[in-house]
Amino acid sequence: MQLIYEKSTPGRNGVRLPASDVPAAAALPESLLRTEAAGLPEVSELDLVRHFTILSQRNFSVDTNFYPLGSCTMKYNAKVLENAAALFAPFHPMTALLPQGAACCQGTLGMLYDLGQMLADITGMDEVTTQPLAGAHGEMTGIMLISAYHKAKGNKKKYVLVPDSSHGTNPASAAMAGYEIITVPTAPYGDMDLELFKKAMNSEVAAVMMTCPNTLGLFNPHIKEISDIAHSHDALMYYDGANLNAIMGKVKPGDVGFDVVHVNLHKTFGTPHGGGGPGAGPVGVKKSLIPFLPQPRIVMDGEGQFLLETANQLSIGRTANFFGNFGVMVKAYAYIIMLGRQGLIQVSEQAVLNANYIKEKLKAYYDVPYDMTCMHECVFSASKQLAHGVHAIDIAKYLIDKGYHPPTVYFPMIVKEAIMIEPTETESKATMDAFIQVMIEAAQVAETDPQALHDAPLTMPIGRLDETKAAREQNVCCQW
Ligand SMILES: *Cc1c(COP(=O)(O)O)cnc(C)c1O
């Protein structure tokens, strides 16, 4: 494909600009004026439309291809949810913050309040703030709440404890909030080692941050014992609920001892993601943490009116404007209402069934380092293929040629040559069967023609990149 600059023809133009209406007095100082023309491509409207349309078709998306990227929940999100968000656009809570105050947008505040209540019910928490704008932002907010809780109690706390299989954002958020990290290794049974956890636990631990099921897709059977031990040291339990489709309607984190939970609305609750679009990471807390929640906080008075609490000195303050990403909240609200309690349970059951189906079908071909019934995702290792010089990355690149987005590779880091597959609940058996077939084929090619895997991808505009060079010599400028 030609670059847009290569299509440039001097004098060609796709726009007709109106005469400038900026007063000459507003002109920039001489020193700031450009001395050479900007060198923009000179193209027609049609050239430009073709350029961007071709680029858009190069996107790999859930709407075009199977996208089993583990830990990311790249499921299909119904288009009707976008309609719901569009419908609510005129009711953005910006109006609530105008001088008229909360009285003028009771419907909007009510919707946000109800969504908070529904998420609190799903996670087993007492109250939810919708403010955080992403999962990592939710973690940061959650750890700040925990920090405020300990400060108010006069607790001297220094550490946050995380398992070594944790999502990288967990230790990063805890470190950003000022804590030192203690990492606990994974036991051969695939979960945080209980004995090592007991040894690591001490009275200076502020919180234990866990993903359950963890990034190996396994639900921790000792979770209640872990939270009891943590609580005996007045440490709080943080639940990373980014991928809630593993347990929704089945287990409430609050019931197994968690005190703080974030959920990713852009993974589980109706908002597509992956293109850097807006997400949301609402945070739920148990009663003891409610006083510290971000403000303005939506509360209901005795008459069913929604008010904004803004003057609580214990609050960690505002973490985002407009109660978070409003459009994403609308989609989550519509998603939960649309599916209902039974529907949400079915989502989890299907997500777990699909992941186990793929695990069972592929385990004769790929090593499964922790071979147990998994939850919403399964983790293989390409260690068998390594004997032929084939790495996880080679299989990932081969899948691109076959029309599949690669699974997550080399994560979780505790698995050598990890291949982490999350089919999600929205894929059909036929789609999974076709994918399984290609994965089997890749395992066979690894034995018979490893070079073919090293050469992939061959069907893409760009072939295999030197990833080490790209990481070491980052150049994000446009130099072709
Ligand atoms: C995606 C994910 C996160 C981070 O969420 P962002 O919205 O990308 O910040 C955290 N933990 C887990 C387990 C995740 O899968």
Side-chain angles (χ1 to χ4, degrees), residues 71 134-137 139 167 169-170 211 240 242-243 262 264 266-267:
S71 198
H137 195 199
E139 292 171 30
H167 196 273
T169 49
N170 293 182
T211 312
D240 178 341
N243 317 103
H262 88 261
N264 278 20
H266 50 293
K267 283 180 184 166

Side-chain angles (χ1 to χ4, degrees), residues 228-428:
D228 287 345
I229 294 169
H231 288 150
S232 73
H233 292 271
D234 204 5
L236 297 178
M237 291 292 293
Y238 185 96
Y239 186 91
D240 178 341
N243 317 103
L244 213 66
N245 51 340
I247 60 153
M248 204 163 46
K250 294 285 182 181
V251 184
K252 297 183 181 192
D255 290 351
V256 289
F258 285 96
D259 305 287
V260 186
V261 177
H262 88 261
V263 294
N264 278 20
L265 300 188
H266 50 293
K267 283 180 184 166
T268 311
F269 294 96
T271 284
H273 70 122
V283 170
V285 296
K286 282 283 175 70
K287 256 191 198 69
S288 58
L289 288 145
I290 291 177
F292 310 103
L293 283 173
Q295 291 183 339
R297 170 175 163 239
I298 303 169
V299 290
M300 188 164 59
D301 71 6
E303 269 112 60
Q305 288 290 305
F306 298 103
L307 309 170
L308 297 182
E309 180 199 270
T310 54
N312 171 14
Q313 295 300 315
L314 289 174
S315 164
I316 61 165
R318 185 191 294 252
T319 54
N321 281 331
F322 308 128
F323 312 103
N325 273 325
F326 183 63
V328 178
M329 304 304 154
V330 177
K331 285 185 261 186
Y333 183 79
Y335 179 77
I336 295 171
I337 298 280
M338 190 169 81
L339 288 177
R341 193 173 287 273
Q342 277 314 314
L344 294 181
I345 292 171
Q346 218 180 329
V347 162
S348 301
E349 289 178 352
Q350 197 66 44
V352 171
L353 180 63
N354 285 1
N356 279 287
Y357 181 68
I358 289 184
K359 180 168 87 68
E360 289 306 312
K361 288 283 184 185
L362 286 180
K363 74 181 193 189
Y365 305 89
Y366 295 90
D367 191 35
V368 181
Y370 299 94
D371 189 8
M372 278 153 268
T373 303
C374 63
M375 299 296 286
H376 62 304
E377 60 198 2
C378 53
V379 180
F380 296 94
S381 161
S383 53
K384 270 189 204 171
Q385 287 68 33
L386 203 55
H388 306 282
V390 168
H391 294 259
I393 189 101
D394 300 319
I395 291 159
K397 301 294 183 193
Y398 179 79
L399 287 171
I400 296 176
D401 274 342
K402 299 293 171 182
Y404 295 98
H405 192 286
T408 297
V409 289
Y410 301 105
F411 182 80
M413 291 189 284
I414 52 172
V415 172
K416 195 169 129 193
E417 297 292 333
I419 301 177
M420 183 195 211
I421 299 176
E422 182 184 6
T424 83
E425 72 277 11
T426 57
E427 295 299 335
S428 66

